[in-house]
Short mmCIF file of all heavy atoms in Angstrom, two decimals:
data_model
loop_
_atom_site.label_atom_id
_atom_site.label_comp_id
_atom_site.label_asym_id
_atom_site.label_seq_id
_atom_site.Cartn_x
_atom_site.Cartn_y
_atom_site.Cartn_z
N ALA C 941 1.66 15.17 -16.34
CA ALA C 941 2.35 13.88 -16.19
C ALA C 941 2.53 13.19 -17.55
O ALA C 941 3.58 12.57 -17.80
CB ALA C 941 1.59 12.97 -15.24
N ARG C 942 1.56 13.32 -18.43
CA ARG C 942 1.69 12.75 -19.78
C ARG C 942 2.85 13.38 -20.54
O ARG C 942 3.62 12.69 -21.22
CB ARG C 942 0.40 13.00 -20.60
CG ARG C 942 -0.75 12.06 -20.33
CD ARG C 942 -1.96 12.50 -21.15
NE ARG C 942 -1.76 12.27 -22.56
CZ ARG C 942 -2.23 11.21 -23.26
NH1 ARG C 942 -2.92 10.28 -22.64
NH2 ARG C 942 -1.97 11.07 -24.53
N LYS C 943 2.94 14.71 -20.45
CA LYS C 943 4.04 15.44 -21.14
C LYS C 943 5.38 14.94 -20.62
O LYS C 943 6.31 14.65 -21.38
CB LYS C 943 3.90 16.92 -20.88
CG LYS C 943 2.93 17.61 -21.82
CD LYS C 943 2.94 19.13 -21.58
CE LYS C 943 1.57 19.70 -21.87
NZ LYS C 943 1.25 20.89 -21.04
N LYS C 944 5.49 14.90 -19.30
CA LYS C 944 6.73 14.46 -18.64
C LYS C 944 7.08 13.02 -19.10
O LYS C 944 8.22 12.73 -19.40
CB LYS C 944 6.51 14.49 -17.12
CG LYS C 944 7.66 14.00 -16.31
CD LYS C 944 8.49 15.18 -15.89
CE LYS C 944 9.64 14.74 -14.99
NZ LYS C 944 10.43 15.88 -14.57
N ALA C 945 6.05 12.19 -19.11
CA ALA C 945 6.27 10.77 -19.50
C ALA C 945 6.88 10.67 -20.89
O ALA C 945 7.81 9.91 -21.12
CB ALA C 945 4.95 10.02 -19.44
N ARG C 946 6.34 11.45 -21.83
CA ARG C 946 6.88 11.44 -23.21
C ARG C 946 8.31 11.89 -23.24
O ARG C 946 9.13 11.32 -23.99
CB ARG C 946 6.06 12.38 -24.07
CG ARG C 946 4.89 11.75 -24.75
CD ARG C 946 4.33 12.65 -25.85
NE ARG C 946 2.96 12.31 -26.10
CZ ARG C 946 2.57 11.20 -26.77
NH1 ARG C 946 3.47 10.35 -27.23
NH2 ARG C 946 1.30 10.92 -26.94
N GLU C 947 8.64 12.91 -22.43
CA GLU C 947 10.03 13.41 -22.41
C GLU C 947 11.01 12.38 -21.88
O GLU C 947 12.13 12.26 -22.38
CB GLU C 947 10.09 14.63 -21.47
CG GLU C 947 9.63 15.94 -22.06
CD GLU C 947 9.46 16.99 -20.98
OE1 GLU C 947 10.19 16.94 -19.94
OE2 GLU C 947 8.60 17.87 -21.16
N ILE C 948 10.61 11.68 -20.84
CA ILE C 948 11.61 10.82 -20.15
C ILE C 948 11.63 9.39 -20.63
O ILE C 948 12.55 8.67 -20.28
CB ILE C 948 11.41 10.87 -18.62
CG1 ILE C 948 10.05 10.31 -18.20
CG2 ILE C 948 11.60 12.31 -18.10
CD1 ILE C 948 9.84 10.31 -16.71
N ALA C 949 10.64 8.97 -21.42
CA ALA C 949 10.61 7.55 -21.86
C ALA C 949 11.58 7.37 -23.03
O ALA C 949 11.18 7.19 -24.18
CB ALA C 949 9.20 7.16 -22.25
N GLU C 950 12.86 7.45 -22.71
CA GLU C 950 13.93 7.37 -23.72
C GLU C 950 14.65 6.03 -23.60
O GLU C 950 14.73 5.47 -22.49
CB GLU C 950 14.95 8.50 -23.49
CG GLU C 950 14.42 9.91 -23.70
CD GLU C 950 14.38 10.29 -25.18
OE1 GLU C 950 14.99 9.55 -26.00
OE2 GLU C 950 13.76 11.31 -25.49
N PRO C 951 15.20 5.54 -24.72
CA PRO C 951 15.98 4.31 -24.64
C PRO C 951 17.11 4.40 -23.61
O PRO C 951 17.73 5.46 -23.48
CB PRO C 951 16.58 4.17 -26.05
CG PRO C 951 15.72 5.02 -26.93
CD PRO C 951 15.18 6.12 -26.06
N GLY C 952 17.31 3.33 -22.87
CA GLY C 952 18.36 3.31 -21.85
C GLY C 952 17.86 3.67 -20.47
O GLY C 952 18.57 3.46 -19.48
N GLU C 953 16.67 4.24 -20.40
CA GLU C 953 16.11 4.64 -19.09
C GLU C 953 15.63 3.42 -18.32
O GLU C 953 14.97 2.53 -18.88
CB GLU C 953 14.96 5.63 -19.24
CG GLU C 953 15.37 7.03 -19.69
CD GLU C 953 16.20 7.75 -18.62
OE1 GLU C 953 15.90 7.65 -17.44
OE2 GLU C 953 17.18 8.40 -19.03
N ASN C 954 15.91 3.40 -17.04
CA ASN C 954 15.40 2.40 -16.14
C ASN C 954 13.90 2.60 -15.91
O ASN C 954 13.47 3.74 -15.68
CB ASN C 954 16.18 2.42 -14.83
CG ASN C 954 15.70 1.42 -13.85
OD1 ASN C 954 14.61 1.53 -13.27
ND2 ASN C 954 16.50 0.38 -13.62
N LEU C 955 13.10 1.56 -15.99
CA LEU C 955 11.65 1.72 -15.85
C LEU C 955 11.28 2.25 -14.46
O LEU C 955 10.31 3.00 -14.33
CB LEU C 955 10.91 0.40 -16.11
CG LEU C 955 10.96 -0.23 -17.50
CD1 LEU C 955 9.92 -1.32 -17.63
CD2 LEU C 955 10.80 0.80 -18.60
N GLY C 956 12.03 1.88 -13.46
CA GLY C 956 11.77 2.39 -12.10
C GLY C 956 11.93 3.89 -12.03
O GLY C 956 11.11 4.58 -11.38
N ASP C 957 12.95 4.41 -12.71
CA ASP C 957 13.16 5.87 -12.72
C ASP C 957 12.03 6.57 -13.44
O ASP C 957 11.58 7.65 -13.04
CB ASP C 957 14.52 6.22 -13.40
CG ASP C 957 15.70 5.73 -12.59
OD1 ASP C 957 15.53 5.51 -11.38
OD2 ASP C 957 16.77 5.59 -13.17
N ILE C 958 11.55 5.97 -14.55
CA ILE C 958 10.44 6.60 -15.31
C ILE C 958 9.20 6.66 -14.42
O ILE C 958 8.58 7.72 -14.30
CB ILE C 958 10.16 5.79 -16.62
CG1 ILE C 958 11.35 5.85 -17.56
CG2 ILE C 958 8.90 6.34 -17.31
CD1 ILE C 958 11.22 4.96 -18.81
N ALA C 959 8.87 5.55 -13.76
CA ALA C 959 7.66 5.51 -12.92
C ALA C 959 7.77 6.52 -11.78
O ALA C 959 6.82 7.28 -11.51
CB ALA C 959 7.43 4.10 -12.39
N GLU C 960 8.92 6.56 -11.14
CA GLU C 960 9.06 7.43 -9.96
C GLU C 960 9.04 8.90 -10.36
O GLU C 960 8.50 9.74 -9.62
CB GLU C 960 10.33 7.07 -9.17
CG GLU C 960 10.04 5.83 -8.31
CD GLU C 960 11.24 5.34 -7.54
OE1 GLU C 960 12.28 6.04 -7.51
OE2 GLU C 960 11.14 4.25 -6.96
N ASN C 961 9.63 9.21 -11.50
CA ASN C 961 9.56 10.59 -11.99
C ASN C 961 8.13 11.05 -12.18
O ASN C 961 7.76 12.19 -11.84
CB ASN C 961 10.26 10.67 -13.36
CG ASN C 961 11.61 11.34 -13.26
OD1 ASN C 961 11.64 12.55 -12.99
ND2 ASN C 961 12.67 10.60 -13.47
N ILE C 962 7.32 10.19 -12.77
CA ILE C 962 5.91 10.55 -13.05
C ILE C 962 5.16 10.65 -11.72
O ILE C 962 4.38 11.58 -11.52
CB ILE C 962 5.27 9.52 -13.99
CG1 ILE C 962 6.00 9.52 -15.35
CG2 ILE C 962 3.78 9.82 -14.20
CD1 ILE C 962 5.64 8.34 -16.25
N GLU C 963 5.35 9.69 -10.84
CA GLU C 963 4.66 9.71 -9.55
C GLU C 963 5.10 10.91 -8.69
O GLU C 963 4.26 11.53 -8.01
CB GLU C 963 4.88 8.39 -8.82
CG GLU C 963 4.17 7.20 -9.50
CD GLU C 963 4.67 5.82 -9.05
OE1 GLU C 963 5.58 5.75 -8.20
OE2 GLU C 963 4.14 4.84 -9.60
N ASP C 964 6.38 11.27 -8.80
CA ASP C 964 6.90 12.46 -8.07
C ASP C 964 6.21 13.73 -8.57
O ASP C 964 5.86 14.60 -7.77
CB ASP C 964 8.41 12.61 -8.26
CG ASP C 964 9.18 11.61 -7.41
OD1 ASP C 964 8.57 10.93 -6.56
OD2 ASP C 964 10.42 11.51 -7.61
N LEU C 965 6.01 13.82 -9.88
CA LEU C 965 5.31 14.98 -10.44
C LEU C 965 3.91 15.14 -9.84
O LEU C 965 3.50 16.20 -9.43
CB LEU C 965 5.24 14.88 -11.98
CG LEU C 965 4.56 16.05 -12.72
CD1 LEU C 965 5.18 16.27 -14.09
CD2 LEU C 965 3.04 15.89 -12.84
N ILE C 966 3.23 14.00 -9.74
CA ILE C 966 1.86 14.01 -9.17
C ILE C 966 1.90 14.49 -7.71
O ILE C 966 1.13 15.38 -7.31
CB ILE C 966 1.22 12.62 -9.30
CG1 ILE C 966 0.97 12.28 -10.79
CG2 ILE C 966 -0.10 12.54 -8.50
CD1 ILE C 966 0.63 10.82 -11.05
N HIS C 967 2.83 13.95 -6.94
CA HIS C 967 2.96 14.36 -5.54
C HIS C 967 3.32 15.85 -5.43
O HIS C 967 2.80 16.58 -4.59
CB HIS C 967 4.04 13.53 -4.84
CG HIS C 967 3.59 12.14 -4.49
ND1 HIS C 967 4.27 11.03 -4.87
CD2 HIS C 967 2.50 11.71 -3.80
CE1 HIS C 967 3.63 9.93 -4.43
NE2 HIS C 967 2.56 10.34 -3.78
N ASN C 968 4.26 16.28 -6.28
CA ASN C 968 4.69 17.69 -6.24
C ASN C 968 3.58 18.66 -6.58
O ASN C 968 3.62 19.82 -6.18
CB ASN C 968 5.89 17.92 -7.17
CG ASN C 968 7.14 17.21 -6.67
OD1 ASN C 968 7.24 16.89 -5.47
ND2 ASN C 968 8.08 16.97 -7.55
N GLU C 969 2.56 18.18 -7.32
CA GLU C 969 1.40 19.03 -7.62
C GLU C 969 0.34 18.93 -6.53
O GLU C 969 -0.77 19.47 -6.66
CB GLU C 969 0.79 18.58 -8.98
CG GLU C 969 1.68 18.84 -10.19
CD GLU C 969 1.85 20.31 -10.51
OE1 GLU C 969 0.96 21.09 -10.17
OE2 GLU C 969 2.88 20.64 -11.12
N GLY C 970 0.68 18.23 -5.46
CA GLY C 970 -0.22 18.17 -4.31
C GLY C 970 -1.31 17.09 -4.39
O GLY C 970 -2.22 17.03 -3.56
#
Side-chain angles (χ1 to χ4, degrees):
R942 280 177 68 99
K943 278 185 210 148
K944 177 95 178 181
R946 269 193 203 287
E947 280 168 29
I948 63 178
E950 294 280 348
E953 287 295 319
N954 179 288
L955 294 194
D957 292 340
I958 296 174
E960 281 178 9
N961 254 293
I962 298 167
E963 290 163 1
D964 284 351
L965 181 148
I966 293 168
H967 284 126
N968 291 340
E969 294 290 335

